[in-house]
Amino acid sequence: MAKPHVREFLDTFVRPLVAGGELHIGPPIPMPDLERWAGELDDASVELVAVDDARTLVLSTLVCRTPSLVLAEDELYLAAGLHNALFLVHPRADRWSVTDRQRRRIIDSALAMVSQPLTRDRTRVMARHALLHNLFHVSRSDVTVSWWTGHARFQGQRPPSRLTAWKGVRRVREEVTLVGFDELLAVPDTAPVIATLLRRTPLTQLLDSHPGAPPLHWEDAVFLLRDHELARAIAYRLVPDASPREVTAGPARLAAAFEQMLERAPDERDVRAVAAFLVHIAALFCLGELHLREPAAKSPLISTVLSAEAAGQRPRGLATLFALPGALALVDARVAVPPGVLDMKPLAARWKVHRAQTAEMLSDAVIDALAARLRRHLRPDLPRDPAEVIALPTQ
């Protein structure tokens, strides 16, 4: 039997993973086959061009000039690891008599495939995001077909035409159930693989996180905030034109990751960068309310998400997100307000309203507690006594 060529994998799995469409999940890919595929990439130019063209289209909405992309060996390994993770939740896996020991081997193999070196190279980071940008949107359609004498369920497969024919006569009904990220890739078997995979593509986590996704490690992603173009794209993607809860969902997850970051021993510059970014998000909330007729009117956004009625439904990190500017004002005022906000009178007025309303709805105790945590990491550069500067050491 002829061994599968990398062209088949690129055409049936990698390209639809990037461009959208049906993913073909076959048997688990063994490591020897993957190593052979890496050497066959030069012989799959047509399929590679299709994949890279699709990735370029994805990046065209993020940056002005998309870099030249060529699918590299590490990206092939990442895609293969995701394929094997999806095999574990494939409906046919049980039919193929996969034992517990074999499942453990598949998991270990998938972990080895996605455990590629971390990278901070701008092109490589964007290339990995373009490859995996649909990760949180991978889904499976399960169809239940019922007719006058029985019913059948097809998981991730189209029902045969013989069962759906003569719908009126046989009283055929089709019910489609969508199985999303939580049930496919956040289950115990696949969660370790996906957590490792996501650490290799931090841009994907910042642009399009998911409530069921593993928490972001800011130490892996903070370098992206120092790229002005990417940081701007991330900020605007995080604040969509949607309902208040949808607007704050993504920023709240990043603020929750910031809370976890403060429990570790991060570099002070990284803490400042993340704090400044989250404060910038708070300014975007104000910018979105400049259309209000009364400049001093209370924020509808804050009234909705921080109301007492919604206290039990607040996502983790939401209180930190809104309390952060006030806490930073107590620790280091230079980071408490984004540059230029106070120079625009309408925006400055909304900023003042937001800060007062936040203090009222969260209480000063929440802000003071966050300030105490920040003081452990931020050291304001206070002016030194001139006598101390010029003092000579004693002999």
Side-chain angles (χ1 to χ4, degrees):
M1 182 176 178
K3 294 183 178 180
H5 196 278
V6 70
R7 288 191 294 263
E8 299 175 21
F9 181 66
L10 294 175
D11 188 54
T12 61
F13 184 83
V14 179
R15 183 183 54 78
L17 175 65
V18 176
E22 294 186 0
L23 300 177
H24 174 74
I25 308 299
I29 302 168
M31 190 64 75
D33 281 3
L34 186 56
E35 293 172 352
R36 177 173 54 81
W37 284 358
E40 295 175 347
L41 285 175
D42 293 339
D43 299 327
S45 57
V46 174
E47 290 76 13
L48 283 176
V49 169
V51 170
D52 290 331
D53 284 349
R55 293 200 296 170
T56 299
L57 186 61
V58 171
L59 296 178
S60 65
T61 62
L62 294 180
V63 295
C64 294
R65 295 181 179 180
T66 56
S68 298
L69 301 179
V70 177
L71 189 76
E73 181 178 326
D74 65 314
E75 293 156 0
L76 178 65
Y77 275 64
L78 295 177
L82 175 60
H83 172 278
N84 286 1
L86 288 170
F87 168 83
L88 294 171
V89 293
H90 195 281
R92 288 186 177 178
D94 293 335
R95 301 181 191 176
W96 290 334
S97 301
V98 180
T99 64
D100 291 341
R101 185 176 181 181
Q102 289 173 325
R103 293 183 73 87
R104 184 68 257 171
R105 287 180 179 177
I106 296 170
I107 294 172
D108 292 343
S109 176
L111 278 171
M113 292 174 183
V114 299
S115 297
Q116 299 301 306
L118 303 179
T119 179
R120 294 192 173 189
D121 180 81
R122 191 176 195 263
T123 299
R124 303 312 316 149
V125 168
M126 288 194 289
R128 289 183 179 184
H129 166 68
L131 175 69
L132 300 167
H133 74 105
N134 277 325
L135 180 61
F136 296 116
H137 305 284
V138 172
S139 61
R140 189 186 73 207
S141 295
D142 294 348
V143 182
T144 301
V145 181
S146 59
W147 59 95
W148 56 6
T149 59
H151 66 277
R153 187 179 185 187
F154 300 88
Q155 296 177 305
Q157 303 173 42
R158 297 175 182 173
S161 57
R162 61 181 176 80
L163 291 183
T164 58
W166 300 90
K167 291 187 176 182
V169 176
R170 299 172 56 243
R171 287 177 279 179
V172 177
R173 295 181 57 187
E174 295 184 47
E175 297 181 7
V176 180
T177 303
L178 198 65
V179 180
F181 177 87
D182 288 334
E183 297 178 60
L184 289 178
L185 297 174
V187 295
D189 278 354
T190 59
V193 178
I194 299 305
T196 305
L197 178 65
L198 285 172
R199 288 198 66 181
R200 273 66 190 170
T201 177
L203 183 57
T204 304
Q205 287 186 285
L206 291 179
L207 285 169
D208 191 17
S209 187
H210 187 278
L216 170 74
H217 287 260
W218 266 118
E219 291 87 342
D220 297 337
V222 67
F223 71 97
L224 294 169
L225 303 183
R226 298 186 174 100
D227 186 307
H228 295 171
E229 188 176 25
L230 291 179
R232 187 182 301 112
I234 294 166
Y236 291 159
R237 181 73 66 87
L238 282 171
V239 188
D241 184 13
S243 66
R245 287 184 174 83
E246 292 174 323
V247 167
T248 56
R253 285 193 290 272
L254 298 188
F258 182 60
E259 293 176 355
Q260 296 180 352
M261 182 185 189
L262 295 179
E263 296 303 317
R264 299 187 287 267
D267 188 279
E268 181 179 354
R269 294 171 299 175
D270 292 346
V271 175
R272 289 182 181 276
V274 178
F277 177 76
L278 294 176
V279 170
H280 178 76
I281 296 295
L284 293 183
F285 293 155
C286 298
L287 193 64
E289 294 183 352
L290 291 184
H291 66 281
L292 296 180
R293 293 184 177 181
E294 299 181 12
K298 288 190 175 183
S299 166
L301 175 70
I302 295 179
S303 297
T304 301
V305 300
L306 294 184
S307 64
E309 294 79 9
Q313 301 177 351
R314 289 178 189 171
R316 184 177 179 183
L318 187 67
T320 294
L321 176 66
F322 284 96
L324 186 59
L328 286 170
L330 302 175
V331 178
D332 191 345
R334 296 172 300 176
V335 198
V337 184
V341 167
L342 301 182
D343 297 333
M344 299 174 58
K345 290 185 178 180
L347 187 56
R350 293 310 303 166
W351 181 264
K352 184 177 180 181
V353 169
H354 274 226
R355 302 286 68 79
Q357 191 175 352
T358 297
E360 176 185 348
M361 301 190 75
L362 287 181
S363 79
D364 292 336
V366 174
I367 297 176
D368 291 341
L370 180 57
R373 296 175 65 187
L374 290 170
R375 286 191 182 96
R376 299 201 300 265
H377 303 281
L378 301 181
R379 297 169 296 176
D381 295 329
L382 300 176
R384 300 173 65 185
D385 185 352
E388 179 185 350
V389 175
I390 63 174
L392 299 176
T394 56
Q395 298 295 332

